[in-house]
Protein backbone atom coordinates (compact mmCIF):
# COMPACT_ATOMS: atom_id res chain seq x y z
CA UNK A 1 0.00 0.00 0.00
CA UNK A 2 1.24 3.46 -0.90
CA UNK A 3 0.11 6.89 0.34
CA UNK A 4 1.12 10.34 -0.91
CA UNK A 5 -0.17 13.75 0.16
CA UNK A 6 0.89 17.21 -0.95
CA UNK A 7 1.10 19.70 1.94
CA UNK A 8 0.90 23.06 0.24
CA UNK A 9 3.29 24.00 -2.56
CA UNK A 10 6.57 22.98 -0.96
CA UNK A 11 5.86 20.08 1.38
CA UNK A 12 4.85 16.46 0.87
CA UNK A 13 4.32 13.32 2.90
CA UNK A 14 4.59 9.78 1.55
CA UNK A 15 4.27 6.40 3.23
CA UNK A 16 4.13 2.77 2.17
CA UNK A 17 3.51 -0.58 3.86
CA UNK A 18 4.48 -4.04 2.63
CA UNK A 19 3.33 -7.29 4.24
CA UNK A 20 4.51 -10.75 3.16
CA UNK A 21 3.90 -14.38 3.99
CA UNK A 22 6.24 -17.11 2.72
CA UNK A 23 5.60 -20.83 3.17
CA UNK A 24 8.52 -23.09 2.27
CA UNK A 25 8.73 -26.87 2.10
CA UNK A 26 11.96 -28.69 1.28
CA UNK A 27 13.64 -32.07 1.44
CA UNK A 28 17.31 -33.04 1.38
CA UNK A 29 18.95 -36.41 0.81
CA UNK A 30 22.65 -37.20 0.78
CA UNK A 31 23.82 -40.80 0.39
CA UNK A 32 27.58 -40.58 0.84
CA UNK A 33 28.57 -43.05 3.51
CA UNK A 34 25.38 -43.71 5.44
CA UNK A 35 22.14 -42.10 4.16
CA UNK A 36 21.34 -38.67 5.59
CA UNK A 37 18.02 -36.95 4.93
CA UNK A 38 15.72 -34.37 6.46
CA UNK A 39 12.66 -32.27 5.65
CA UNK A 40 11.99 -28.65 6.49
CA UNK A 41 8.70 -26.79 6.84
CA UNK A 42 9.11 -23.03 7.14
CA UNK A 43 6.85 -20.03 7.59
CA UNK A 44 7.97 -16.41 7.36
CA UNK A 45 5.90 -13.34 8.22
CA UNK A 46 7.19 -9.81 7.66
CA UNK A 47 6.03 -6.21 7.74
CA UNK A 48 7.95 -3.30 6.19
CA UNK A 49 6.69 0.25 6.70
CA UNK A 50 8.25 3.63 5.98
CA UNK A 51 7.28 7.30 5.94
CA UNK A 52 9.12 10.28 4.41
CA UNK A 53 8.51 14.02 4.88
CA UNK A 54 9.98 16.51 2.41
CA UNK A 55 10.09 20.31 2.50
CA UNK A 56 11.48 22.11 -0.56
CA UNK A 57 12.88 25.29 0.95
CA UNK A 58 14.65 27.99 -1.06
CA UNK A 59 18.28 27.34 -0.05
CA UNK A 60 17.89 23.56 0.18
CA UNK A 61 15.45 20.67 0.45
CA UNK A 62 14.94 19.11 3.87
CA UNK A 63 13.71 15.56 4.24
CA UNK A 64 13.26 13.20 7.15
CA UNK A 65 11.89 9.71 7.46
CA UNK A 66 11.71 6.45 9.30
CA UNK A 67 11.67 2.79 8.33
CA UNK A 68 10.49 -0.25 10.29
CA UNK A 69 11.21 -3.85 9.34
CA UNK A 70 9.65 -6.63 11.46
CA UNK A 71 10.04 -10.33 10.69
CA UNK A 72 9.15 -13.66 12.31
CA UNK A 73 10.51 -16.97 11.00
CA UNK A 74 9.38 -20.39 12.20
CA UNK A 75 11.33 -23.23 10.54
CA UNK A 76 10.85 -26.85 11.63
CA UNK A 77 13.37 -29.56 10.63
CA UNK A 78 12.45 -33.25 10.79
CA UNK A 79 14.39 -36.44 10.07
CA UNK A 80 18.12 -36.57 10.71
CA UNK A 81 17.93 -32.87 11.64
CA UNK A 82 15.65 -32.24 14.60
CA UNK A 83 15.32 -28.52 15.21
CA UNK A 84 12.70 -25.79 15.38
CA UNK A 85 13.79 -22.19 14.95
CA UNK A 86 11.59 -19.32 16.01
CA UNK A 87 13.50 -16.14 15.13
CA UNK A 88 12.13 -12.64 15.68
CA UNK A 89 13.90 -9.63 14.23
CA UNK A 90 13.12 -5.92 14.34
CA UNK A 91 14.93 -3.17 12.46
CA UNK A 92 14.25 0.55 13.00
CA UNK A 93 15.93 3.36 11.07
CA UNK A 94 15.42 7.13 11.19
CA UNK A 95 17.18 9.85 9.22
CA UNK A 96 17.21 13.55 8.37
CA UNK A 97 19.09 15.23 5.52
CA UNK A 98 19.42 18.38 3.44
CA UNK A 99 20.33 18.67 -0.21
CA UNK A 100 20.91 21.71 -2.34
CA UNK A 101 23.13 23.48 -4.85
CA UNK A 102 25.31 26.59 -5.09
CA UNK A 103 26.35 28.56 -8.16
CA UNK A 104 25.40 28.03 -11.78
CA UNK A 105 26.92 27.97 -15.24
CA UNK A 106 25.49 29.93 -18.15
CA UNK A 107 23.79 26.72 -19.34
CA UNK A 108 21.83 26.62 -16.07
CA UNK A 109 23.59 23.61 -14.52
CA UNK A 110 24.74 23.81 -10.89
CA UNK A 111 28.39 24.27 -10.03
CA UNK A 112 28.19 22.64 -6.58
CA UNK A 113 25.57 20.20 -5.27
CA UNK A 114 25.56 18.58 -1.84
CA UNK A 115 23.72 16.10 0.37
CA UNK A 116 24.34 15.96 4.11
CA UNK A 117 22.44 13.71 6.46
CA UNK A 118 22.46 11.74 9.67
CA UNK A 119 20.66 8.55 10.61
CA UNK A 120 20.32 6.18 13.56
CA UNK A 121 19.45 2.51 13.25
CA UNK A 122 18.78 -0.39 15.59
CA UNK A 123 18.66 -4.08 14.70
CA UNK A 124 17.51 -6.60 17.30
CA UNK A 125 17.09 -10.39 17.20
CA UNK A 126 15.55 -12.89 19.56
CA UNK A 127 15.82 -16.67 19.35
CA UNK A 128 15.07 -18.74 22.42
CA UNK A 129 17.31 -17.46 25.20
CA UNK A 130 19.59 -15.64 22.74
CA UNK A 131 18.93 -11.97 22.01
CA UNK A 132 20.89 -8.83 21.21
CA UNK A 133 20.44 -5.24 20.05
CA UNK A 134 22.78 -3.44 17.64
CA UNK A 135 22.79 0.39 17.46
CA UNK A 136 24.60 2.37 14.78
CA UNK A 137 24.96 6.10 14.00
CA UNK A 138 24.91 6.60 10.23
CA UNK A 139 26.24 9.92 8.84
CA UNK A 140 26.30 10.62 5.11
CA UNK A 141 27.93 13.35 3.00
CA UNK A 142 28.17 13.70 -0.80
CA UNK A 143 29.56 16.62 -2.80
CA UNK A 144 29.62 17.20 -6.56
CA UNK A 145 31.68 20.06 -8.01
CA UNK A 146 31.73 20.95 -11.70
CA UNK A 147 35.01 22.51 -12.85
CA UNK A 148 33.42 23.10 -16.26
CA UNK A 149 30.09 22.18 -17.80
CA UNK A 150 31.77 18.98 -19.09
CA UNK A 151 34.00 17.93 -16.17
CA UNK A 152 32.73 17.07 -12.68
CA UNK A 153 34.19 15.65 -9.47
CA UNK A 154 31.94 13.79 -7.01
CA UNK A 155 33.01 12.50 -3.63
CA UNK A 156 31.20 11.00 -0.71
CA UNK A 157 31.34 9.09 2.52
CA UNK A 158 28.62 7.00 4.19
CA UNK A 159 28.33 4.68 7.16
CA UNK A 160 25.64 2.01 6.85
CA UNK A 161 24.52 -1.23 8.47
CA UNK A 162 25.22 -4.64 6.93
CA UNK A 163 23.21 -7.71 7.90
CA UNK A 164 24.45 -11.19 7.09
CA UNK A 165 22.25 -14.05 5.96
CA UNK A 166 19.68 -14.53 8.75
CA UNK A 167 19.79 -18.30 8.32
CA UNK A 168 23.31 -18.33 9.79
CA UNK A 169 22.08 -17.07 13.18
CA UNK A 170 19.88 -20.13 13.69
CA UNK A 171 20.90 -22.81 16.20
CA UNK A 172 20.56 -25.57 13.57
CA UNK A 173 23.30 -27.93 12.38
CA UNK A 174 23.07 -29.79 9.04
CA UNK A 175 25.37 -32.18 7.19
CA UNK A 176 26.62 -31.32 3.68
CA UNK A 177 28.43 -34.61 3.08
CA UNK A 178 30.16 -37.31 5.10
CA UNK A 179 32.85 -34.86 6.33
CA UNK A 180 31.35 -31.35 6.16
CA UNK A 181 28.69 -29.66 8.30
CA UNK A 182 27.09 -26.21 8.34
CA UNK A 183 26.50 -24.88 11.86
CA UNK A 184 24.45 -21.78 12.73
CA UNK A 185 25.74 -19.22 15.21
CA UNK A 186 23.04 -17.49 17.33
CA UNK A 187 25.57 -14.95 18.62
CA UNK A 188 26.28 -13.57 15.13
CA UNK A 189 25.72 -9.80 15.01
CA UNK A 190 25.26 -7.16 12.27
CA UNK A 191 28.23 -5.02 11.31
CA UNK A 192 29.00 -1.55 9.99
CA UNK A 193 29.99 -0.74 6.41
CA UNK A 194 32.01 2.42 5.74
CA UNK A 195 31.97 3.53 2.11
CA UNK A 196 34.26 6.23 0.67
CA UNK A 197 34.33 7.17 -3.00
CA UNK A 198 35.45 9.76 -5.53
CA UNK A 199 34.20 9.93 -9.13
CA UNK A 200 35.68 11.88 -12.06
CA UNK A 201 33.15 12.44 -14.85
CA UNK A 202 33.63 13.84 -18.34
CA UNK A 203 30.67 14.43 -20.63
CA UNK A 204 30.40 15.61 -24.22
CA UNK A 205 27.56 15.15 -26.73
CA UNK A 206 29.05 11.88 -28.07
CA UNK A 207 31.08 10.56 -25.15
CA UNK A 208 30.49 10.07 -21.43
CA UNK A 209 33.05 8.52 -19.10
CA UNK A 210 33.27 7.99 -15.32
CA UNK A 211 36.31 6.92 -13.29
CA UNK A 212 35.37 5.72 -9.80
CA UNK A 213 37.72 5.06 -6.88
CA UNK A 214 36.02 3.37 -3.94
CA UNK A 215 37.23 1.98 -0.63
CA UNK A 216 34.72 -0.15 1.30
CA UNK A 217 35.46 -1.05 4.92
CA UNK A 218 33.50 -3.83 6.64
CA UNK A 219 34.48 -3.87 10.30
CA UNK A 220 33.74 -6.81 12.60
CA UNK A 221 31.89 -8.44 9.72
CA UNK A 222 30.59 -12.00 9.40
CA UNK A 223 33.29 -14.24 7.92
CA UNK A 224 33.66 -17.96 7.50
CA UNK A 225 35.16 -20.05 10.29
CA UNK A 226 36.14 -23.72 9.89
CA UNK A 227 36.90 -26.09 12.74
CA UNK A 228 37.99 -29.73 12.67
CA UNK A 229 36.68 -32.23 15.21
CA UNK A 230 38.55 -35.20 16.65
CA UNK A 231 36.69 -37.59 14.32
CA UNK A 232 37.67 -35.54 11.21
CA UNK A 233 34.44 -33.62 10.77
CA UNK A 234 34.81 -30.11 9.28
CA UNK A 235 32.35 -27.57 10.69
CA UNK A 236 31.57 -24.40 8.72
CA UNK A 237 30.10 -21.45 10.59
CA UNK A 238 30.32 -17.66 10.64
CA UNK A 239 31.65 -15.38 13.36
CA UNK A 240 32.31 -11.66 13.69
CA UNK A 241 35.95 -11.18 12.66
CA UNK A 242 38.25 -8.14 12.12
CA UNK A 243 37.44 -6.97 8.59
CA UNK A 244 36.69 -7.70 4.93
CA UNK A 245 37.61 -4.64 2.85
CA UNK A 246 37.57 -3.87 -0.86
CA UNK A 247 39.42 -1.20 -2.87
CA UNK A 248 38.52 -0.79 -6.52
CA UNK A 249 39.02 1.49 -9.51
CA UNK A 250 36.45 1.27 -12.31
CA UNK A 251 35.66 3.02 -15.57
CA UNK A 252 32.34 3.24 -17.41
CA UNK A 253 32.42 4.79 -20.87
CA UNK A 254 29.69 5.33 -23.43
CA UNK A 255 30.49 6.42 -26.97
CA UNK A 256 27.85 7.32 -29.55
CA UNK A 257 29.47 6.07 -32.75
CA UNK A 258 26.44 7.18 -34.76
CA UNK A 259 24.26 9.39 -32.53
CA UNK A 260 20.86 7.82 -31.81
CA UNK A 261 21.75 4.80 -33.97
CA UNK A 262 24.94 3.00 -32.84
CA UNK A 263 26.18 3.13 -29.22
CA UNK A 264 29.18 1.38 -27.68
CA UNK A 265 29.50 1.01 -23.90
CA UNK A 266 32.43 -0.52 -22.02
CA UNK A 267 33.22 -1.06 -18.34
CA UNK A 268 36.40 -2.26 -16.66
CA UNK A 269 37.64 -2.48 -13.10
CA UNK A 270 40.53 -3.51 -10.87
CA UNK A 271 39.40 -4.91 -7.50
CA UNK A 272 41.63 -5.53 -4.49
CA UNK A 273 40.20 -7.56 -1.58
CA UNK A 274 41.61 -7.51 1.97
CA UNK A 275 40.36 -10.29 4.28
CA UNK A 276 41.48 -10.38 7.90
CA UNK A 277 40.08 -13.17 10.03
CA UNK A 278 40.88 -14.37 13.53
CA UNK A 279 43.23 -17.03 12.15
CA UNK A 280 44.03 -15.92 8.59
CA UNK A 281 44.87 -12.99 6.35
CA UNK A 282 44.39 -12.99 2.55
CA UNK A 283 44.63 -10.48 -0.29
CA UNK A 284 43.28 -11.03 -3.78
CA UNK A 285 43.18 -8.99 -7.01
CA UNK A 286 40.51 -9.36 -9.69
CA UNK A 287 40.12 -7.81 -13.14
CA UNK A 288 36.55 -7.54 -14.43
CA UNK A 289 35.48 -6.03 -17.73
CA UNK A 290 32.64 -6.10 -20.27
CA UNK A 291 31.09 -4.25 -23.19
CA UNK A 292 27.81 -3.68 -25.02
CA UNK A 293 27.12 -2.64 -28.62
CA UNK A 294 23.59 -1.40 -29.35
CA UNK A 295 22.07 -0.42 -32.68
CA UNK A 296 18.78 1.34 -33.45
CA UNK A 297 17.46 1.47 -37.01
CA UNK A 298 13.81 2.35 -37.40
CA UNK A 299 11.75 -0.44 -35.87
CA UNK A 300 14.82 -2.63 -35.30
CA UNK A 301 16.94 -2.83 -32.13
CA UNK A 302 19.99 -5.09 -31.95
CA UNK A 303 22.35 -5.76 -29.05
CA UNK A 304 25.64 -7.60 -28.50
CA UNK A 305 27.01 -8.09 -24.97
CA UNK A 306 30.13 -9.78 -23.59
CA UNK A 307 31.99 -9.84 -20.25
CA UNK A 308 34.72 -11.86 -18.52
CA UNK A 309 32.57 -12.73 -15.51
CA UNK A 310 32.97 -11.58 -11.92
CA UNK A 311 35.81 -12.68 -9.65
CA UNK A 312 36.00 -11.90 -5.95
CA UNK A 313 37.24 -13.10 -2.56
CA UNK A 314 35.35 -13.01 0.74
CA UNK A 315 36.91 -14.51 3.84
CA UNK A 316 38.48 -17.77 2.70
CA UNK A 317 36.26 -18.23 -0.35
CA UNK A 318 37.34 -17.27 -3.88
CA UNK A 319 34.43 -17.09 -6.30
CA UNK A 320 34.40 -17.03 -10.09
CA UNK A 321 31.37 -16.27 -12.23
CA UNK A 322 32.18 -17.33 -15.79
CA UNK A 323 32.29 -15.11 -18.91
CA UNK A 324 29.01 -14.37 -20.62
CA UNK A 325 28.10 -13.71 -24.24
CA UNK A 326 24.64 -12.63 -25.43
CA UNK A 327 23.00 -11.11 -28.48
CA UNK A 328 19.44 -10.07 -29.30
CA UNK A 329 17.36 -8.49 -32.04
CA UNK A 330 13.94 -6.84 -31.57
CA UNK A 331 11.37 -5.57 -34.03
CA UNK A 332 8.59 -3.18 -33.04
CA UNK A 333 5.34 -2.97 -34.97
CA UNK A 334 2.17 -1.38 -33.64
CA UNK A 335 1.54 -2.63 -30.09
CA UNK A 336 3.81 -5.66 -30.55
CA UNK A 337 7.51 -6.31 -29.92
CA UNK A 338 9.13 -9.46 -31.34
CA UNK A 339 12.48 -10.47 -29.84
CA UNK A 340 15.08 -13.11 -30.70
CA UNK A 341 17.64 -13.66 -27.91
CA UNK A 342 20.73 -15.90 -27.81
CA UNK A 343 22.88 -16.60 -24.75
CA UNK A 344 26.30 -18.28 -24.84
CA UNK A 345 26.10 -19.41 -28.49
CA UNK A 346 28.41 -22.25 -29.58
CA UNK A 347 28.77 -23.39 -25.95
CA UNK A 348 27.16 -26.76 -25.26
CA UNK A 349 28.07 -27.05 -21.54
CA UNK A 350 29.07 -23.62 -20.17
CA UNK A 351 30.34 -23.29 -16.64
CA UNK A 352 27.79 -21.56 -14.38
CA UNK A 353 30.07 -20.97 -11.37
CA UNK A 354 33.22 -22.09 -9.60
CA UNK A 355 34.51 -21.55 -6.08
CA UNK A 356 37.58 -22.39 -4.06
CA UNK A 357 38.06 -22.62 -0.29
CA UNK A 358 41.60 -21.85 0.85
CA UNK A 359 41.34 -22.68 4.55
CA UNK A 360 44.40 -24.17 6.27
CA UNK A 361 42.35 -27.20 7.37
CA UNK A 362 40.17 -27.58 4.29
CA UNK A 363 41.02 -27.20 0.59
CA UNK A 364 38.04 -27.48 -1.70
CA UNK A 365 37.11 -26.64 -5.31
CA UNK A 366 33.56 -26.65 -6.65
CA UNK A 367 32.43 -26.20 -10.25
CA UNK A 368 28.94 -26.12 -11.70
CA UNK A 369 27.80 -26.48 -15.31
CA UNK A 370 24.44 -25.52 -16.79
CA UNK A 371 23.48 -27.23 -20.02
CA UNK A 372 20.39 -25.05 -20.38
CA UNK A 373 22.54 -21.90 -20.30
CA UNK A 374 24.46 -22.78 -23.46
CA UNK A 375 23.23 -22.40 -27.02
CA UNK A 376 20.14 -20.79 -25.49
CA UNK A 377 17.66 -19.45 -28.03
CA UNK A 378 14.60 -17.55 -26.81
CA UNK A 379 11.78 -16.07 -28.87
CA UNK A 380 9.64 -13.45 -27.18
CA UNK A 381 6.46 -11.60 -28.05
CA UNK A 382 5.23 -8.60 -26.04
CA UNK A 383 1.84 -6.98 -26.56
CA UNK A 384 1.03 -3.57 -25.09
CA UNK A 385 -2.68 -3.57 -24.22
CA UNK A 386 -2.73 -0.28 -22.32
CA UNK A 387 -6.16 1.31 -22.76
CA UNK A 388 -8.33 3.90 -21.03
CA UNK A 389 -7.64 7.25 -19.36
CA UNK A 390 -4.35 8.00 -17.70
CA UNK A 391 -4.46 10.06 -14.53
CA UNK A 392 -1.66 11.98 -12.88
CA UNK A 393 1.11 9.62 -11.87
CA UNK A 394 2.61 9.69 -8.41
CA UNK A 395 6.41 9.87 -8.46
CA UNK A 396 7.60 7.13 -6.16
CA UNK A 397 10.58 4.85 -5.72
CA UNK A 398 9.81 1.79 -3.59
CA UNK A 399 12.41 -0.97 -3.36
CA UNK A 400 11.04 -2.88 -0.39
CA UNK A 401 10.80 -6.63 -0.76
CA UNK A 402 11.17 -9.75 1.39
CA UNK A 403 12.51 -13.07 0.12
CA UNK A 404 14.64 -14.45 2.96
CA UNK A 405 13.21 -17.52 4.70
CA UNK A 406 15.93 -18.13 7.32
CA UNK A 407 16.32 -21.79 6.28
CA UNK A 408 19.85 -23.13 6.70
CA UNK A 409 21.26 -24.89 3.64
Amino acid sequence: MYFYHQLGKHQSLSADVLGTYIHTKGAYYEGEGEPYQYQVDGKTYSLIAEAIYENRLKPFTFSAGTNLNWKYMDNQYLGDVVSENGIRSLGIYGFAQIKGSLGQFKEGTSRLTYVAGFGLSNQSYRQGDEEFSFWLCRPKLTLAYSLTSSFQIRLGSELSQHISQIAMISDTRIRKNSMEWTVGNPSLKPSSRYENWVVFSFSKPRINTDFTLNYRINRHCDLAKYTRTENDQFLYSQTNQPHCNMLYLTNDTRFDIIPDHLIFSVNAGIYRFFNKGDEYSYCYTAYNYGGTLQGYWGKWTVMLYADNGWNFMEGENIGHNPPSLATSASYHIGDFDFTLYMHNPFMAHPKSYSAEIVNALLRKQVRGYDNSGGNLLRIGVAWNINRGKEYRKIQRNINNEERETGILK
Side-chain angles (χ1 to χ4, degrees):
M1 294 186 294
Y2 179 81
F3 169 81
Y4 176 85
H5 182 63
Q6 189 75 31
L7 304 171
K9 295 182 179 180
H10 308 289
Q11 303 178 75
S12 65
L13 178 65
S14 62
D16 60 88
V17 178
L18 171 71
T20 66
Y21 169 71
I22 305 173
H23 186 196
T24 307
K25 282 184 174 292
Y28 177 84
Y29 175 83
E30 191 269 313
E32 183 183 359
E34 60 184 51
Y36 179 84
Q37 59 184 339
Y38 64 89
Q39 299 81 41
V40 59
D41 187 357
K43 297 180 178 63
T44 300
Y45 308 85
S46 69
L47 179 68
I48 301 175
E50 64 182 7
I52 298 176
Y53 166 78
E54 184 176 87
N55 192 344
R56 294 176 294 280
L57 304 171
K58 287 186 177 181
F60 54 78
T61 296
F62 171 79
S63 58
T66 183
N67 177 279
L68 181 143
N69 189 325
W70 172 86
K71 183 188 301 183
Y72 174 70
M73 293 163 289
D74 183 13
N75 298 317
Q76 185 174 8
Y77 300 79
L78 299 172
D80 289 327
V81 179
V82 180
S83 175
E84 183 169 2
N85 296 135
I87 303 176
R88 292 175 173 83
S89 70
L90 176 63
I92 301 175
Y93 171 63
F95 76 94
Q97 72 173 31
I98 58 172
K99 61 179 179 181
S101 60
L102 298 172
Q104 285 188 340
F105 291 101
K106 294 180 179 179
E107 300 85 352
T109 57
S110 300
R111 184 177 292 272
L112 173 66
T113 60
Y114 61 89
V115 177
F118 181 82
L120 180 66
S121 64
N122 173 261
Q123 183 67 50
S124 60
Y125 291 104
R126 182 177 180 182
Q127 178 184 194
D129 296 331
E130 293 281 347
E131 61 179 299
F132 66 84
S133 180
F134 179 79
W135 288 92
L136 183 65
C137 295
R138 298 167 57 173
K140 175 183 179 180
L141 176 65
T142 62
L143 298 172
Y145 182 73
S146 299
L147 298 175
T148 68
S149 58
S150 301
F151 184 72
Q152 184 185 70
I153 300 175
R154 303 191 302 272
L155 55 90
S157 181
E158 182 177 6
L159 184 63
S160 61
Q161 179 177 270
H162 180 68
I163 301 175
S164 183
Q165 184 182 6
I166 290 183
M168 289 304 300
I169 70 171
S170 71
D171 57 3
T172 304
R173 169 174 167 164
I174 63 174
R175 191 178 94 172
K176 304 298 293 182
N177 53 56
S178 62
M179 298 185 69
E180 294 181 79
W181 295 75
T182 298
V183 182
N185 179 10
S187 63
L188 201 60
K189 294 179 175 59
S191 59
S192 60
R193 171 172 290 177
Y194 190 30
E195 198 103 13
N196 304 275
W197 68 91
V198 58
V199 181
F200 300 92
S201 299
F202 179 78
S203 177
K204 283 291 187 180
R206 294 181 61 178
I207 186 171
N208 294 272
T209 184
D210 291 335
F211 286 91
T212 302
L213 180 65
N214 187 300
Y215 186 41
R216 178 182 297 170
I217 303 173
N218 294 287
R219 296 180 298 180
H220 308 297
C221 55
D222 309 336
L223 293 179
K225 183 177 181 63
Y226 294 90
T227 56
R228 182 176 181 175
T229 65
E230 295 180 353
N231 59 342
D232 293 329
Q233 299 292 311
F234 295 90
L235 310 182
Y236 161 74
S237 186
Q238 290 185 3
T239 60
N240 293 98
Q241 300 183 55
H243 66 250
C244 175
N245 302 338
M246 177 174 65
L247 174 67
Y248 63 84
L249 174 65
T250 62
N251 173 253
D252 294 279
T253 299
R254 166 179 163 154
F255 181 63
D256 293 2
I257 302 174
I258 304 177
D260 300 323
H261 291 287
L262 189 61
I263 300 172
F264 177 65
S265 302
V266 63
N267 62 84
I270 303 175
Y271 298 79
R272 182 68 170 174
F273 301 88
F274 308 90
N275 297 277
K276 176 63 176 177
D278 294 332
E279 301 171 349
Y280 59 82
S281 179
Y282 298 106
C283 292
Y284 179 77
T285 303
Y287 305 90
N288 304 308
Y289 49 86
T292 304
L293 184 65
Q294 294 174 297
Y296 307 90
W297 290 279
K299 297 179 180 298
W300 285 96
T301 300
V302 297
M303 182 273 294
L304 178 64
Y305 171 82
D307 66 42
N308 76 322
W310 165 249
N311 304 295
F312 66 95
M313 183 175 192
E314 181 178 317
E316 296 182 292
N317 180 73
I318 301 176
H320 306 278
N321 290 340
S324 179
L325 178 64
T327 182
S328 69
S330 300
Y331 182 74
H332 176 79
I333 180 171
D335 291 333
F336 291 89
D337 287 288
F338 301 89
T339 303
L340 180 66
Y341 173 82
M342 295 184 65
H343 187 230
N344 289 331
F346 315 113
M347 301 180 191
H349 310 286
K351 184 188 298 182
S352 58
Y353 69 91
S354 63
E356 180 181 1
I357 297 175
V358 294
N359 180 263
L361 302 174
L362 176 66
R363 305 288 293 192
K364 181 179 180 180
Q365 291 183 335
V366 180
R367 294 183 180 90
Y369 296 86
D370 182 11
N371 295 345
S372 64
N375 290 325
L376 175 65
L377 179 63
R378 181 187 302 139
I379 299 176
V381 179
W383 179 24
N384 183 7
I385 56 175
N386 185 25
R387 295 292 184 271
K389 291 184 178 181
E390 182 175 345
Y391 293 89
R392 181 177 63 90
K393 293 182 178 179
I394 298 175
Q395 297 299 321
R396 58 190 183 275
N397 183 18
I398 303 174
N399 299 315
N400 293 333
E401 64 175 4
E402 182 57 66
R403 299 182 182 274
E404 197 166 21
T405 62
I407 296 176
L408 197 65
K409 299 179 180 179

